[in-house]
Amino acid sequence: MKKVITILFYNILLFVAVLVTICFVMVFIPDSSKHGVSLASRFLDYVMILVLFDFGYSLVTGFPIWDTILSAGLKSLLLVSGGLLLVVLVASVTVIAQINWPENKFVILWAFLVRKVSAVPILIWATVLIFLSFTFLSVVPVYQDISGFNLTSMLAVALPLLALASGDNILGDTCNRMLNRMQELNNSLFIRALEARGFQTRFHILRNMVPEVLSILSSRISYLITGMIVVEFIFNWQGLGWMIWRAIIAEGEKDYALVLACSACIVLFVIVLNITRDISLKLSNPHLYVN
Amino acid sequence: METMNPKFRLHQIVVFFLLLSAFSAGDAVSGDREFIYSEITPSGNLNPYQQAIARASNERLYSLIYQPLFRYDFFEQDFHRVLAQEVERSSDNKRITLHLRRGVQWHDGTPFTAADVEFTIRYIMQSDQGIRNRDLYNSIIQEIRIVNERMLLINLSEPYQGIYFEGFFPNWIIPAHLFNDDFSPVADKDISRRPVGTGPYMFNQRTIEGSVSLRRFEDYWADKPLIERIRMELSSDLSTMIMRLQARISSLVIDVPADRIPQVETLHHRILPYQSYLIQTIGFNFRNERLSDQKIRQAIVYGTDRNNMLQQWYGGRGELLAGPFTSEAPFFDVNMDPYPHDPDRARELIQEAGYRLDSRSGFFVDSNGSRLSFNFVVPVIFDGGDSPLQNIVADFRENMRNIGIEVIIRNRTRDDYEVTLFREHDFDLIFVEWEFSPEYNISHLFHSTHIRPNGLNIGAYQNVHVDNLLNAFQEARDPATKMGHMRNVQNILRNDVPYVFLLSAHKNAAIDYRYVGVRIDPFYFFTYINQWQVVDGF
C-alpha cells in the first residue's frame, strides 16, 4: 500500500511539474497581444489559471473549456486506444501465425508486408488513405460526417485508426518484440518442462506475454500521441492535438487556457497509463517487485 | 482442388468497388436545399463586438445573421439603406437624426427599435477590443438620445470626417434586449454562442467541432432567400475543402488559389472571380538612410517583375498596381500606369545614387565597400491554404539579386510580424497586405500624423504636399474636388514610391452549378444571397 501511495505521489508531482513547465514554455510563444508584458507576468498569469482552475470559455470553439476538452479528449482517447487495440490485434495475429506456421508462404508474405507497411510515416498513410477513399469511393471521410451506420461513417472511423496503427513503425516494432519474446518463452526451460510433462503451455505463455505487451505499449504511447495530432489534422478529428494547434496559431487571440487544459489531459493520460502498467506488471509478475 | 478463375475474381473486385461507390454516392450528395460551405478558421465567440481581431470567416456569418443600418453596394458603388429608413444631418454636420425602418423583427420575435441602435453604439464605445469606430465614437459623440421607437438623435462634438457619411455607423446592430444593459465583455452570454439578429437567416445550431447551422428567417422584412438552410463547416485545410466540394458534400469554397482552379473547374462546379480590395505591397522603411533615397526606391520598383508574379502565381487573375488604388476603387486615376520592369534602368538609378558594382559578388557597394543590402520581413502563414506568398518573396529576392541588391529574408510568425510592423518598425523592407473598407481611406497609410506606435504609416513616409492634399480631400464635399485632390496624391505617391505596389489578386469562389444568379460581396460574401437561385436536379 505504501508503495502504491509513493507511486501516486510521485506521479502527481510529475503531473504538476509538467504543467508548470508548459506554463513556462508558453511564455515564449510570440503573441502580439502580449507585447510589452513581462515574461514573469505572463508566466504568473498562466500559473494562476491552473491554481484558480479558472479556464472559462474557449476562444477557439466558443464553448466552455471543459465541454471542449471533454469532446476533444474523447476523440483523442478513441483514436489512441483504438490505434493501440489495432496494433495489439494485428501484431498478435501475425506473431501467432508466424510461430505456428513458420513455413507458410502466405504467413511469410503477411509478416513481411506488416513490417514494411508500418515503416511508412503516419502522415503519408493518412494522406494516401484519404485520397484513395476520395478517388475510388467519392467519400471524404472526415469526423463531421460520422452519423449513423453507413460507408462514410465507417471510413471516417476506420481510416484514421488504420493510419495511426500502421504508420511510424509502431506495428512492425511491436511484432518484432512480441515475436522475440514468444520465441524466448517457447525455448525457455519451464515451458519445455511443462510440454515434456504434457501440460498445456498456452496460458503460461500468454501470462508471460502481458508484461512485454504492456511495456511495448507504454513505450509507444508518445509516438501514438504524436501520430494522433497528425491524424486529427488530416481527418479533421478535432481532438486534443488539433485544439492545441488551433489555440496557438490564432493571431492575437491565443487560447492559453485551452492549451493548458489539453496538455493536462494528455499528461494525465500518459501518467494513468504508466501507473496502470506498473500495477499490471506487479500483478502479472510479483517477483519483479521483490527488490 | 478447385481453384477460382482469375477473371471471375477480378469481376468480384470490380463489382465490390461499384457497390461501394453506389453505397457512398448516397451519402455524398448533400441534403435538399441545404447549402454547405467550408471555412478554415474556427468561429469562436459569435458576438461581433467581442473579437480581438476581425475574422473574415465570422464576418461572412454575421452578414447572414445581422444587419447594418447602411450597406455599401459594390456594383452600384454607393450605400444603400438597410435598417435605416432615412437620415438627416444639420448644416454643421454635428447633429444626426436617424429614422429606422418599420416592421423589422429580431429572430426571437422582438421588434427592432431605436434602443437597439443606441445600445450597439454604446456597447462599441465601452468595448475593450479594437473595434472599428470605437475611438471615433468616444472622441466625437456627445449625446445619443432615443426620441421614439423609430427615431434616434446623435449629437457630435465635431463633424464626422469620413469619405462616406454612412461609414460613421456600426457594421452590425445587436439586440439590446438580450444584454439587459450589461456592457461587460463576458463570453458566457448566450448571444456569444447563439446569436440573434435581424438578417435573412437565424441561428439554428452549432457544434464544438465548429459547424454552424442557420435556417431561413420566415418573418424577414425584405425578400426572403430561396435557400432554406445553410451550414458552415470547419475544414482543416484547403485540400479537404476542395475534395468535399468535388464530392458535392459542400457547395462552396470561398477562395480557391489560382493553381488549384483547373482542379475545381469541372462538370459540377464553376469559378466565380470577384474583386478584392486587398493590395499586396512591399513597404519601405524611411528610417533607413539608404531607403530614404528616392533613386534606390525607384530602382527597386523598376527591378521588380510584378507581371511575372501575377502570371506565374495567380494565373494572371488580378491586376498590377500603379498606386494604392485598385481599378474598381473610388477615386482611382485611370491615367496612372504601373512602373515597367526595367532592370537596366534600375541599375542606372543605383549608380546615380552613388553605388558601384562589385564585380566579384555581383552586388552594389557604397564608397566604404559596404554591400547594398536590406532586411526583408515576411509573415509566415500557417493556415492560409496555398498562399503564393513565399513564391512572390523568392521572386522578389531573385529580382533584386539581378539588379545588384542583396535582400535578406526575415520570416516572422504573424504575431511577431504585427509587432515589427506596427510597434518596433525593425525592418528595411516589409511585405504588407492592406485590405480597404468601402470608404477606401488611404490617408492613414500616408499622412504624417499616423507615424506613431500602432499607426498605419508604418514606413514613416512624410510629404507636406501629400498631408495638405489629404486634409483638403477630407474637408471637400464635392466629388469632383475630391477626385482632383486624390489624383494629385496618386501622382506624388507614384514619384515618391513609399511602397512597391505589387498587385491586387482577384479572389475566386468555387460554387456548385446548382446555384445560379450568384452575386458576391467582396467583404461579406453573402450580402446578395436573397438573389441566388437554386436549380434542382442539376
Side-chain angles (χ1 to χ4, degrees), chain A residues 106-119:
Chain A
F106 177 76
V107 172
I108 293 170
L109 180 68
W110 171 254
F112 174 79
L113 279 177
V114 162
R115 282 165 179 81
K116 293 298 165 195
V117 154
S118 84

PDB file of all heavy atoms in Angstrom, chain A residues 106-119:
ATOM      1  N   PHE A 106       1.918 -17.640 -47.315  1.00  0.00           N
ATOM      2  CA  PHE A 106       1.013 -16.516 -47.069  1.00  0.00           C
ATOM      3  C   PHE A 106       1.390 -15.806 -45.763  1.00  0.00           C
ATOM      4  O   PHE A 106       1.421 -14.569 -45.695  1.00  0.00           O
ATOM      5  CB  PHE A 106      -0.442 -17.011 -47.011  1.00  0.00           C
ATOM      6  CG  PHE A 106      -1.415 -15.928 -46.680  1.00  0.00           C
ATOM      7  CD1 PHE A 106      -1.777 -14.984 -47.641  1.00  0.00           C
ATOM      8  CD2 PHE A 106      -1.937 -15.816 -45.400  1.00  0.00           C
ATOM      9  CE1 PHE A 106      -2.661 -13.965 -47.328  1.00  0.00           C
ATOM     10  CE2 PHE A 106      -2.824 -14.798 -45.081  1.00  0.00           C
ATOM     11  CZ  PHE A 106      -3.181 -13.863 -46.049  1.00  0.00           C
ATOM     12  N   VAL A 107       1.722 -16.605 -44.757  1.00  0.00           N
ATOM     13  CA  VAL A 107       2.109 -16.027 -43.454  1.00  0.00           C
ATOM     14  C   VAL A 107       3.405 -15.232 -43.596  1.00  0.00           C
ATOM     15  O   VAL A 107       3.534 -14.125 -43.056  1.00  0.00           O
ATOM     16  CB  VAL A 107       2.265 -17.143 -42.387  1.00  0.00           C
ATOM     17  CG1 VAL A 107       2.857 -16.579 -41.103  1.00  0.00           C
ATOM     18  CG2 VAL A 107       0.923 -17.790 -42.111  1.00  0.00           C
ATOM     19  N   ILE A 108       4.344 -15.785 -44.364  1.00  0.00           N
ATOM     20  CA  ILE A 108       5.625 -15.084 -44.564  1.00  0.00           C
ATOM     21  C   ILE A 108       5.375 -13.749 -45.267  1.00  0.00           C
ATOM     22  O   ILE A 108       5.897 -12.703 -44.867  1.00  0.00           O
ATOM     23  CB  ILE A 108       6.602 -15.960 -45.392  1.00  0.00           C
ATOM     24  CG1 ILE A 108       7.007 -17.189 -44.559  1.00  0.00           C
ATOM     25  CG2 ILE A 108       7.836 -15.165 -45.804  1.00  0.00           C
ATOM     26  CD1 ILE A 108       7.760 -18.238 -45.335  1.00  0.00           C
ATOM     27  N   LEU A 109       4.525 -13.812 -46.308  1.00  0.00           N
ATOM     28  CA  LEU A 109       4.213 -12.590 -47.062  1.00  0.00           C
ATOM     29  C   LEU A 109       3.512 -11.569 -46.169  1.00  0.00           C
ATOM     30  O   LEU A 109       3.839 -10.376 -46.173  1.00  0.00           O
ATOM     31  CB  LEU A 109       3.324 -12.939 -48.268  1.00  0.00           C
ATOM     32  CG  LEU A 109       2.925 -11.765 -49.154  1.00  0.00           C
ATOM     33  CD1 LEU A 109       4.145 -11.218 -49.893  1.00  0.00           C
ATOM     34  CD2 LEU A 109       1.845 -12.163 -50.156  1.00  0.00           C
ATOM     35  N   TRP A 110       2.556 -12.056 -45.392  1.00  0.00           N
ATOM     36  CA  TRP A 110       1.795 -11.173 -44.491  1.00  0.00           C
ATOM     37  C   TRP A 110       2.737 -10.484 -43.485  1.00  0.00           C
ATOM     38  O   TRP A 110       2.676  -9.270 -43.279  1.00  0.00           O
ATOM     39  CB  TRP A 110       0.712 -11.992 -43.780  1.00  0.00           C
ATOM     40  CG  TRP A 110       0.024 -11.243 -42.672  1.00  0.00           C
ATOM     41  CD1 TRP A 110       0.189 -11.418 -41.340  1.00  0.00           C
ATOM     42  CD2 TRP A 110      -0.912 -10.168 -42.810  1.00  0.00           C
ATOM     43  NE1 TRP A 110      -0.586 -10.553 -40.624  1.00  0.00           N
ATOM     44  CE2 TRP A 110      -1.278  -9.761 -41.508  1.00  0.00           C
ATOM     45  CE3 TRP A 110      -1.479  -9.517 -43.905  1.00  0.00           C
ATOM     46  CZ2 TRP A 110      -2.179  -8.736 -41.277  1.00  0.00           C
ATOM     47  CZ3 TRP A 110      -2.376  -8.486 -43.664  1.00  0.00           C
ATOM     48  CH2 TRP A 110      -2.721  -8.103 -42.367  1.00  0.00           C
ATOM     49  N   ALA A 111       3.616 -11.292 -42.864  1.00  0.00           N
ATOM     50  CA  ALA A 111       4.544 -10.745 -41.862  1.00  0.00           C
ATOM     51  C   ALA A 111       5.480  -9.718 -42.510  1.00  0.00           C
ATOM     52  O   ALA A 111       5.773  -8.670 -41.924  1.00  0.00           O
ATOM     53  CB  ALA A 111       5.358 -11.875 -41.245  1.00  0.00           C
ATOM     54  N   PHE A 112       5.911 -10.041 -43.726  1.00  0.00           N
ATOM     55  CA  PHE A 112       6.792  -9.126 -44.455  1.00  0.00           C
ATOM     56  C   PHE A 112       6.054  -7.799 -44.726  1.00  0.00           C
ATOM     57  O   PHE A 112       6.581  -6.710 -44.474  1.00  0.00           O
ATOM     58  CB  PHE A 112       7.206  -9.793 -45.777  1.00  0.00           C
ATOM     59  CG  PHE A 112       7.995  -8.900 -46.688  1.00  0.00           C
ATOM     60  CD1 PHE A 112       9.352  -8.682 -46.470  1.00  0.00           C
ATOM     61  CD2 PHE A 112       7.384  -8.278 -47.774  1.00  0.00           C
ATOM     62  CE1 PHE A 112      10.072  -7.854 -47.317  1.00  0.00           C
ATOM     63  CE2 PHE A 112       8.091  -7.449 -48.616  1.00  0.00           C
ATOM     64  CZ  PHE A 112       9.450  -7.235 -48.386  1.00  0.00           C
ATOM     65  N   LEU A 113       4.804  -7.915 -45.208  1.00  0.00           N
ATOM     66  CA  LEU A 113       4.018  -6.715 -45.536  1.00  0.00           C
ATOM     67  C   LEU A 113       3.759  -5.854 -44.298  1.00  0.00           C
ATOM     68  O   LEU A 113       3.887  -4.627 -44.345  1.00  0.00           O
ATOM     69  CB  LEU A 113       2.678  -7.119 -46.168  1.00  0.00           C
ATOM     70  CG  LEU A 113       2.731  -7.468 -47.652  1.00  0.00           C
ATOM     71  CD1 LEU A 113       1.359  -7.906 -48.126  1.00  0.00           C
ATOM     72  CD2 LEU A 113       3.207  -6.277 -48.469  1.00  0.00           C
ATOM     73  N   VAL A 114       3.394  -6.521 -43.209  1.00  0.00           N
ATOM     74  CA  VAL A 114       3.102  -5.781 -41.974  1.00  0.00           C
ATOM     75  C   VAL A 114       4.302  -4.934 -41.570  1.00  0.00           C
ATOM     76  O   VAL A 114       4.178  -3.755 -41.235  1.00  0.00           O
ATOM     77  CB  VAL A 114       2.694  -6.760 -40.843  1.00  0.00           C
ATOM     78  CG1 VAL A 114       2.809  -6.095 -39.476  1.00  0.00           C
ATOM     79  CG2 VAL A 114       1.274  -7.236 -41.063  1.00  0.00           C
ATOM     80  N   ARG A 115       5.475  -5.524 -41.631  1.00  0.00           N
ATOM     81  CA  ARG A 115       6.680  -4.795 -41.221  1.00  0.00           C
ATOM     82  C   ARG A 115       7.008  -3.665 -42.193  1.00  0.00           C
ATOM     83  O   ARG A 115       7.384  -2.563 -41.792  1.00  0.00           O
ATOM     84  CB  ARG A 115       7.857  -5.758 -41.084  1.00  0.00           C
ATOM     85  CG  ARG A 115       7.787  -6.541 -39.775  1.00  0.00           C
ATOM     86  CD  ARG A 115       8.694  -7.738 -39.768  1.00  0.00           C
ATOM     87  NE  ARG A 115       8.615  -8.445 -38.493  1.00  0.00           N
ATOM     88  CZ  ARG A 115       7.669  -9.311 -38.160  1.00  0.00           C
ATOM     89  NH1 ARG A 115       6.702  -9.572 -39.022  1.00  0.00           N
ATOM     90  NH2 ARG A 115       7.667  -9.924 -36.992  1.00  0.00           N
ATOM     91  N   LYS A 116       6.899  -3.941 -43.489  1.00  0.00           N
ATOM     92  CA  LYS A 116       7.245  -2.917 -44.491  1.00  0.00           C
ATOM     93  C   LYS A 116       6.234  -1.768 -44.490  1.00  0.00           C
ATOM     94  O   LYS A 116       6.592  -0.600 -44.560  1.00  0.00           O
ATOM     95  CB  LYS A 116       7.318  -3.530 -45.906  1.00  0.00           C
ATOM     96  CG  LYS A 116       8.463  -4.496 -46.079  1.00  0.00           C
ATOM     97  CD  LYS A 116       9.785  -3.794 -45.875  1.00  0.00           C
ATOM     98  CE  LYS A 116      10.913  -4.808 -45.674  1.00  0.00           C
ATOM     99  NZ  LYS A 116      12.133  -4.202 -45.121  1.00  0.00           N
ATOM    100  N   VAL A 117       4.963  -2.176 -44.430  1.00  0.00           N
ATOM    101  CA  VAL A 117       3.898  -1.158 -44.472  1.00  0.00           C
ATOM    102  C   VAL A 117       4.017  -0.215 -43.275  1.00  0.00           C
ATOM    103  O   VAL A 117       3.840   0.994 -43.376  1.00  0.00           O
ATOM    104  CB  VAL A 117       2.525  -1.872 -44.495  1.00  0.00           C
ATOM    105  CG1 VAL A 117       1.433  -0.998 -43.928  1.00  0.00           C
ATOM    106  CG2 VAL A 117       2.177  -2.284 -45.909  1.00  0.00           C
ATOM    107  N   SER A 118       4.345  -0.790 -42.111  1.00  0.00           N
ATOM    108  CA  SER A 118       4.373   0.053 -40.917  1.00  0.00           C
ATOM    109  C   SER A 118       5.606   0.951 -40.874  1.00  0.00           C
ATOM    110  O   SER A 118       5.700   1.825 -40.016  1.00  0.00           O
ATOM    111  CB  SER A 118       4.282  -0.789 -39.651  1.00  0.00           C
ATOM    112  OG  SER A 118       5.548  -1.266 -39.301  1.00  0.00           O
ATOM    113  N   ALA A 119       6.542   0.757 -41.798  1.00  0.00           N
ATOM    114  CA  ALA A 119       7.726   1.631 -41.833  1.00  0.00           C
ATOM    115  C   ALA A 119       7.388   3.004 -42.441  1.00  0.00           C
ATOM    116  O   ALA A 119       8.148   3.953 -42.320  1.00  0.00           O
ATOM    117  CB  ALA A 119       8.840   0.960 -42.632  1.00  0.00           C
TER     118      ALA A 119
END
